[in-house]
Amino acid sequence: MIHLKGVMKNYDVGGRQVAALRNIDLTIRKGEIFGIIGHSGAGKSTLIRTINMLERPTAGEVVVDGVEMTKLGTGKLQLERRSIGMIFQHFNLLSSATVADNIAFPLRLAKLPKEEIARRVEELIGLVGLTGHGSKYPAQLSGGQKQRVGIARALATNPKVLLCDEATSALDPQTTGAILSLLLDINKQLGITIVLITHEMNVIRTICDRVAVIDGGEIVEEGPVTDVFLKPQHRTTREFVAQVSDVAAIGLETSGSAAAGNRTLVRVTYIGEQTYQPVLYETMRETNVPFVILQGTVSKLKDTPYGQLVVELQGQEGGAEQAIALLRGRGLDVEVIQHG
């Protein structure tokens, strides 16, 4: 659906070239919700804006639904942009226009008939949950309602792709949850491909299918959210996961009940239906290894349940190794934190 190949973006700063993006290779599949996460200044906003050519890359290719965007002239680019909607952190609404007129704005630019515009606006107002608010002005709306208007406006021309530029960063946690739920519903109902950038890992784990981590203008980690969240490889990724991880770094803490040298600390990760099954208990009973659960959580990554436990295995080392092997054989991920 979206392919970025060798994308680079340089800015001229004081007569010298500063790289904002470095050799970005990225593929975003049709119909998925793809997240891009990074710290401020990492290049994530520049990256998402290259998709609709609001930022023209210095080098590389940007292909959206089979169209090479970097080769389009002004006229054709404007036409292609109708298939790429965009919502913004600070809403970017017309303050002197009503909700209905804000949503109608791109339709009027496309010179659609008045009757069609009216029908489409009414349909979108209902879709985003703003029925009865069409005649209000932005100043009369809450932040969440303003963002709903922004989403409706972005969807006005029936785009194939929806770009979300920090769409929830200006909202409180409860409103953020409502907006993420709306985006998830839109994705499911319309099959639209959603690309969102954020600096909040909670946004990624709530609605995204896959994620790319950007640092210093480079993609440093990429993959399914379940893999990246539960097994982060890069330092930056681990920092973001730590923001929302319910299982804190355990360090060298133990229960204190095992003799020195006769304990093994492990982190056990469950994914899917095994999250709700007594696999740990059954394994320890089978191997006769005493254990203590020091920390634990059960949660979800989008629609996928997962669990993480930090467990102290007690007794002889051979018994712990046997238990770990059995757990791994039953499909669980087991990370040894410390021996002895």
Side-chain angles (χ1 to χ4, degrees), residues 58-238:
T58 305
E61 298 179 2
V62 178
V63 179
V64 180
D65 199 26
V67 177
E68 210 328 5
M69 302 292 285
T70 60
K71 295 182 179 178
L72 299 180
T74 302
K76 289 186 177 181
L77 182 57
Q78 288 177 348
L79 288 174
E80 285 299 324
R81 279 181 178 153
R82 292 180 187 174
S83 66
I84 306 174
M86 191 164 192
I87 58 176
F88 303 89
Q89 178 180 358
H90 297 294
F91 322 126
N92 286 18
L93 302 181
L94 302 170
S95 60
S96 59
T98 65
V99 167
D101 286 337
N102 267 283
I103 297 171
F105 183 70
L107 299 172
R108 292 192 178 116
L109 287 180
K111 299 180 179 179
L112 269 64
K114 289 184 179 179
E115 296 79 8
E116 187 174 344
I117 290 175
R119 178 192 58 77
R120 180 65 175 153
V121 168
E122 192 64 26
E123 176 186 329
L124 288 166
I125 285 176
L127 178 67
V128 300
L130 289 176
T131 300
H133 295 277
S135 61
K136 292 183 178 180
Y137 290 87
Q140 299 173 287
L141 304 176
S142 67
Q145 289 171 328
K146 289 176 183 177
Q147 195 57 284
R148 288 173 185 269
V149 177
I151 293 170
R153 180 184 58 190
L155 295 173
T157 56
N158 289 305
K160 300 172 184 176
V161 176
L162 182 61
L163 306 179
C164 305
D165 189 354
E166 295 276 13
T168 61
S169 294
L171 306 175
D172 62 74
Q174 184 175 358
T175 306
T176 291
I179 293 299
L180 294 178
S181 180
L182 174 60
L183 290 173
L184 190 56
D185 287 343
I186 287 169
N187 171 257
K188 289 179 178 178
Q189 289 182 43
L190 306 180
I192 190 171
T193 303
I194 298 179
V195 185
L196 62 85
I197 64 169
T198 183
H199 61 272
E200 300 173 281
M201 196 65 188
N202 189 55
V203 171
I204 298 295
R205 74 169 178 174
T206 300
I207 68 168
C208 291
D209 301 298
R210 292 193 301 129
V211 61
V213 182
I214 187 169
D215 185 55
E218 298 180 290
I219 301 296
V220 296
E221 193 161 352
E222 178 192 352
V225 172
T226 50
D227 291 350
V228 174
F229 185 84
L230 296 176
K231 303 176 186 178
Q233 301 299 310
H234 192 270
R235 169 186 51 81
T236 301
T237 312
R238 291 194 292 270

Side-chain angles (χ1 to χ4, degrees), residues 230 265-269 324 328 333-338:
L230 296 176
L265 285 180
V266 297
R267 181 179 287 106
V268 183
T269 301
I324 291 169
R328 287 172 174 166
D333 181 79
V334 183
E335 175 193 355
V336 178
I337 301 173
Q338 185 190 34

Side-chain angles (χ1 to χ4, degrees), residues 12 17 54-55 71 74 98 113 115 136 153 177 184 193 210 224 249 266 272 284 286 288 292 303 307 323 326 330:
D12 190 306
Q17 293 293 302
L54 288 179
E55 292 284 357
K71 295 182 179 178
T74 302
T98 65
E115 296 79 8
K136 292 183 178 180
R153 180 184 58 190
L184 190 56
T193 303
R210 292 193 301 129
V266 297
M284 297 308 154
E286 183 178 334
N288 200 31
V292 178
D303 298 322
L326 272 176
R330 289 168 176 170

Side-chain angles (χ1 to χ4, degrees), residues 254 258-264 312-318 320 338-340:
T254 71
N262 291 330
R263 58 176 175 77
T264 301
E312 179 184 295
L313 306 180
Q314 301 176 354
Q316 297 303 312
E317 186 174 334
Q338 185 190 34
H339 275 301

